[in-house]
Amino acid sequence: MKYEPVIGLEVHVELYTKSKMFCHDSADYFGKDPNTHVCPVCLGLPGALPVPNKQAIEWCIQIGLALNCQIPLLSKFDRKNYFYPDLPKGYQISQYDKPFCIDGSITLKNGKKIAILRAHMEEDTAKLTHSIIDGSSVSLIDFNRSGVPLVEVVTKPDFTSAQEVVDYLKKLQQIVRYLGVSSADMEKGDMRLEPNISLRKLGDKTLPLYKVEVKNINSFKFVEKSIEYEVKRQQEILESGEIPAQETRGWNELKQKTVSQRSKEEAHDYRYFPEPDIPPIRWTKTQLDKFRRALPELPTVKLKRFQSQYFLSEYDSEILTRDRQTADFFEEAVKAAKEVDLSAKQVANVIINTKPNLSSTLPATFIKSLITALPRNTMSNQDLKKLIGQIIVGNTKIVADYKSGNKNAIQALLGKAMAKTQGKIDPKKAKTILEELLN
Ligand code: MN
């Protein structure tokens, strides 16, 4: 019997706002002395009242928009009730049936669209440390993280492999970094992943009757390993004629396996109800339009633009747009490079190959340092004409397209000429010659 994995994903992204979600304490707690970023609100003391962080909510909406979500005009906070020592109030302020963002998607490298059910806002819990002090085992609680804003992004169970999950996570990480709302460092716990995994018979369309959620995953590598481990484990159980238990498991890196933690709870176990201390939030269309306009250019759009504007390959554009800092540096460097007759392709090559230190080098200085080191546009007009002639002869389809009225087709021809010479020609000159020869 052949089985197919059915995988969904919940990701918690910690926002780097100045203050926490519902109080004034600094949210920048990483590496700080325990219990120094605390107040009555995030310690859950009786009578303390939450005040929502406007910046955090706006960033949650931005994440939703960048993930192609709908933003309902009415939203509210709810209490998710459960007992655990890291949750002093006995409930977490989260969102239940009216989240800020719904129905989005991320498109993977392989073209597959992963549906995003929702992106909602909630508060983080305190951090528990289990250790042995003077021979007895103790659990210590650090409340610095309590109340730090989180955005939880939940997908449909659309993944069928660990590879797809990792690809999705990299895209999500890239998007929140582009937005500048989270550092999304996995090692620091800024991005926490919980895949839920089950198997169904190949060809089945319905969802399996059970699912296994894996917690405590803090790297792309571990998510991959834990999914692969679960697929194998569940397959063996199914093949023996049993059904795997619905449960929450944890990834144990030392043992290289998942271990059972507790039976999986259902939504009704949490007794969700509306948070009485925070009124519902209503957006106007004007406010949402403003958020939409404030979005920066996102990675997929930038990637396409780099290919068409600078005649770069998809590969080069992908490397240069991986983070905003590199992309901005490249574009500034191209501007500076124009004056000294270096092409965008040359600039791209050097940035990709030499990986300059972006925070200590200015693009213009970087370009100056290149002038002596790089081959210049040495091709004579005659050679350039000859080369363009060859491109025209070799690309009859594009030429026909151009002659039938699609003037943009000339960019494709120019791209071919740039690629053929590895960018060592002047695109302006080449374009003029192309136009001459084609008209
Ligand atoms: Mn959550």
Side-chain angles (χ1 to χ4, degrees), residues 99-346:
F100 283 125
C101 322
I102 55 170
D103 295 337
S105 65
I106 281 185
T107 304
L108 303 181
K109 259 194 256 165
N110 64 13
K112 182 169 167 182
K113 210 180 223 182
I114 301 296
I116 290 170
L117 287 170
R118 55 190 283 152
H120 73 249
M121 184 99 247
E122 60 187 34
E123 55 178 339
D124 211 340
T125 59
K127 198 173 167 49
L128 288 173
T129 311
H130 309 285
S131 59
I132 295 180
I133 294 178
D134 294 337
S136 32
S137 34
V138 293
S139 293
L140 300 166
I141 314 179
D142 175 9
F143 285 94
N144 284 352
R145 198 181 68 182
S146 172
V148 168
L150 293 178
V151 171
E152 179 175 335
V153 182
V154 184
T155 75
K156 275 195 182 166
D158 284 350
F159 303 97
T160 51
S161 72
Q163 193 41 54
E164 286 182 354
V165 171
V166 172
D167 187 26
Y168 167 93
L169 289 168
K170 286 189 175 158
K171 294 218 167 203
L172 179 62
Q173 184 183 50
Q174 188 188 32
I175 288 169
V176 299
R177 284 178 175 172
Y178 259 66
L179 293 173
V181 300
S182 171
S183 47
D185 278 333
M186 302 265 277
E187 326 78 72
K188 290 189 180 168
D190 301 333
M191 211 169 126
R192 280 167 258 156
L193 327 170
E194 286 157 30
N196 53 73
I197 306 146
S198 46
L199 296 188
R200 69 178 161 207
K201 285 178 193 159
L202 209 59
D204 266 8
K205 286 285 164 261
T206 51
L207 288 179
L209 295 169
Y210 72 95
K211 66 180 175 186
V212 173
E213 193 169 293
V214 184
K215 290 196 181 273
N216 309 335
I217 298 175
N218 58 3
S219 85
F220 292 138
K221 197 85 230 134
F222 296 172
V223 81
E224 210 175 329
K225 285 201 260 183
S226 63
I227 289 172
E228 274 156 14
Y229 179 85
E230 268 307 301
V231 168
K232 219 175 131 236
R233 186 185 72 86
Q234 293 177 23
Q235 180 155 0
E236 279 164 15
I237 296 174
L238 287 165
E239 273 165 0
S240 74
E242 314 247 316
I243 293 176
Q246 168 109 348
E247 63 181 346
T248 300
R249 300 175 72 88
W251 174 248
N252 187 320
E253 176 58 13
L254 221 61
K255 295 185 180 149
Q256 292 286 303
K257 61 196 265 192
T258 65
V259 285
S260 181
Q261 289 184 333
R262 57 173 194 262
S263 61
K264 173 114 185 74
E265 56 292 292
E266 306 273 344
H268 62 248
D269 295 328
Y270 292 117
R271 307 296 299 232
Y272 280 98
F273 65 85
E275 165 60 59
D277 292 333
I278 304 172
I281 289 151
R282 283 168 217 278
W283 301 111
T284 62
K285 291 231 160 66
T286 323
Q287 281 174 308
L288 295 182
D289 283 345
K290 212 176 115 198
F291 292 139
R292 218 165 260 132
R293 279 198 305 272
L295 281 183
E297 184 180 38
L298 293 166
T300 39
V301 178
K302 210 186 270 290
L303 175 79
K304 288 259 151 37
R305 180 169 66 79
F306 272 32
Q307 288 172 262
S308 61
Q309 184 176 341
Y310 300 112
F311 311 111
L312 300 177
S313 65
E314 189 181 357
Y315 176 81
D316 287 351
S317 306
E318 202 270 311
I319 297 176
L320 292 170
T321 57
R322 222 170 258 172
D323 62 84
R324 238 170 106 178
Q325 204 191 5
T326 308
D328 291 348
F329 185 91
F330 166 73
E331 293 205 277
E332 281 304 311
V334 168
K335 272 185 216 154
K338 266 202 183 124
E339 289 165 31
V340 292
D341 216 15
L342 292 175
S343 71
K345 172 69 184 162
Q346 285 173 308

Side-chain angles (χ1 to χ4, degrees), residues 351-368:
I351 292 181
I352 291 168
N353 295 332
T354 63
K355 296 185 190 74
N357 183 341
L358 303 186
S359 37
S360 69
T361 319
L362 286 172
T365 322
F366 173 70
I367 291 303
K368 266 190 202 140

